[in-house]
């Protein structure tokens, strides 16, 4: 490491869980937590203020901003760029993911790293069709879809609880139940919205990420990791 403090950007920090994890992973670094939602960012700030030590909290800067507006003149731009940019679970929800990644890459230091996590096409295609077919027919959720099976709107928290309740009432061994309880996102409102009801998402294979996303942004892969440490160890 060089003598200055390393700088980390968390692009799309959400409710703050990712920030807490990375803050404890990368000691003695300064962080910018960026999110496009003022309400979500305020919630993250309140949670982290309560959970972190004063020293840890002082290493954080919270900024409301859009990945698609990042560039050399954006408010978070810093001399020399960021040493590490973390963007997990965000890029695949952008209208133009390739442009979004290029904008993130423009914020990197010359020898900086970008940690990226997106939806896997192989994984999503293994379960999504089954779940979507069930949701369009289930008593708790069928009113959320039109006659062509297209989503009409996002469900309310009460409707999400009803969906979760109906899933958990399915017998153990039922395909839909077994698939959904596997996801930790299934057990929170924001998580299940992202998993099942997000209006925009793009999935990728590793080859597509390399050839479509990384190459266009002028990046190259240096490693592959899994968010779950046990899965990561098993893959190695």
């Amino acid at each position: 490491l060089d003598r200055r403090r390393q700088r980390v950007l968390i692009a799309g920090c959400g409710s703050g869980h990712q920030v807490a994890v990375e803050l404890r992973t990368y000691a003695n670094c300064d962080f910018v937590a960026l999110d496009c939602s003022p309400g979500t960012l305020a919630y993250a700030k309140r949670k982290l203020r309560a959970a972190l030590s004063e020293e840890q909290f002082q290493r954080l800067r919270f900024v409301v901003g859009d990945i698609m507006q990042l560039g050399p003149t954006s408010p978070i731009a810093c001399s020399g760029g960021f040493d590490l940019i973390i963007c997990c679970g965000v890029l695949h929800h952008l209208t133009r993911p390739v442009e979004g990644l290029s904008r993130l890459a423009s914020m990197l230091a010359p020898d900086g790293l970008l940690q990226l996590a997106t939806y896997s096409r192989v994984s999503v295609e293994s379960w999504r069709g089954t779940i979507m077919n069930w949701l369009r027919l289930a008593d708790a959720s069928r009113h959320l879809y039109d006659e062509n099976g297209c989503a009409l709107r996002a469900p309310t928290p009460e409707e999400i609880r009803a969906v979760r309740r109906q899933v958990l009432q399915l017998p153990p061994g039922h395909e839909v139940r077994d698939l959904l309880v596997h996801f930790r996102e299934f057990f929170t409102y924001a998580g299940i919205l992202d998993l099942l009801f997000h209006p925009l998402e793009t999935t990728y294979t590793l080859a597509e990420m390399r050839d479509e996303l990384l190459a266009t942004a002028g990046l190259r892969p240096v490693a592959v990791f899994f968010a779950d440490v046990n899965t990561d160890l098993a893959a190695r």
Side-chain angles (χ1 to χ4, degrees):
L1 300 181
D2 59 30
R3 292 182 179 179
R4 67 171 174 77
R5 290 168 68 92
Q6 304 289 284
R7 292 171 293 211
V8 180
L9 167 64
I10 301 181
C13 69
S15 61
H17 174 76
Q18 182 93 42
V19 179
V21 170
E22 306 302 347
L23 192 71
R24 288 165 176 160
T25 301
Y26 300 104
N28 301 316
C29 295
D30 292 324
F31 284 77
V32 172
L34 179 78
D35 202 274
C36 63
S37 168
T40 298
L41 199 68
Y43 176 74
K45 189 173 184 178
R46 287 196 302 271
K47 278 182 59 179
L48 292 166
R49 165 65 82 178
L52 300 175
S53 69
E54 182 64 22
E55 183 277 329
Q56 289 173 323
F57 190 78
Q58 289 303 315
R59 292 196 280 126
L60 289 172
R61 177 187 171 199
F62 297 88
V63 179
V64 177
D66 188 341
I67 288 174
M68 301 303 290
Q69 300 299 319
L70 293 179
T73 61
S74 62
I76 66 168
C78 54
S79 175
F82 288 95
D83 302 285
L84 174 64
I85 295 177
I86 299 167
C87 184
C88 295
V90 177
L91 200 72
H92 49 251
H93 290 319
L94 298 182
T95 306
R96 301 186 301 280
V98 173
E99 180 183 344
L101 184 60
S102 295
R103 289 185 174 274
L104 288 172
S106 74
M107 307 296 287
L108 281 171
D111 57 349
L113 295 174
L114 191 149
Q115 180 179 316
L116 178 67
T118 70
Y119 283 161
S120 161
R121 177 168 300 179
V122 174
S123 173
V124 169
E125 289 181 351
S126 73
W127 61 267
R128 190 170 182 83
T130 298
I131 300 302
M132 290 298 105
N133 288 338
W134 184 87
L135 287 171
R136 293 179 183 113
L137 298 174
D139 293 341
S141 52
R142 61 188 177 192
H143 63 284
L144 298 170
Y145 299 89
D146 64 19
E147 61 274 12
N148 297 315
C150 298
L152 296 169
R153 59 176 175 82
T156 65
E158 182 178 348
E159 288 168 329
I160 288 292
R161 286 193 291 270
V163 170
R164 190 183 294 115
R165 185 163 51 248
Q166 187 169 352
V167 170
L168 294 175
Q169 287 171 348
L170 296 171
H174 190 287
E175 185 177 16
V176 169
R177 187 185 194 277
D178 288 356
L179 283 170
L180 285 178
V181 298
H182 166 77
F183 296 105
R184 65 183 180 184
E185 292 90 343
F186 176 70
F187 297 96
T188 67
Y189 176 63
I192 203 169
L193 282 181
D194 187 73
L195 183 69
L196 301 179
F197 297 101
H198 201 286
L200 178 64
E201 66 178 42
T202 306
T203 59
Y204 297 94
T205 64
L206 287 175
E208 287 168 341
M209 286 187 66
R210 179 194 63 202
D211 298 337
E212 297 177 18
L213 286 177
L214 302 184
T216 303
L219 300 170
R220 61 180 179 84
V222 296
V224 176
F225 77 100
F226 294 85
D228 178 81
V229 64
N230 294 317
T231 303
D232 191 64
L233 290 171
R236 293 176 190 278

